[in-house]
Amino acid sequence: MLKILVNGEPLDTSAKTLGDLCIALGYGDAKIATALNGVFVAAAVRSATALSDGDKVEVVAPRQGG
């Protein structure tokens, strides 16, 4: 079990990659932007981007409205 931060909130996860984490968080195929430890991670490489204990993940999803 990894201890990471997601959008500033602590999270224990068994996800091995950023792609697995996005699925576990319910984003699935949603259009989102992700960063790992302050570095943008493109959707195409999320499934190959390994997570480590203490990582800081940011997930930004577009919102509708004004």
Side-chain angles (χ1 to χ4, degrees), residues 34-41 55-58:
T34 55
L36 180 62
N37 298 320
V39 178
F40 172 77
V41 179
D55 278 346
K56 295 176 185 163
V57 176
E58 294 291 327

Side-chain angles (χ1 to χ4, degrees), residues 40-54:
F40 172 77
V41 179
V45 295
R46 286 182 195 140
S47 63
T49 302
L51 294 175
S52 299
D53 212 37

Side-chain angles (χ1 to χ4, degrees), residues 11-62:
L11 178 72
D12 291 339
T13 183
S14 59
K16 301 287 186 216
T17 67
L18 184 55
D20 292 341
L21 179 66
C22 290
I23 292 168
L25 293 174
Y27 292 109
D29 292 329
K31 299 292 183 191
I32 57 172
T34 55
L36 180 62
N37 298 320
V39 178
F40 172 77
V41 179
V45 295
R46 286 182 195 140
S47 63
T49 302
L51 294 175
S52 299
D53 212 37
D55 278 346
K56 295 176 185 163
V57 176
E58 294 291 327
V59 179
V60 179

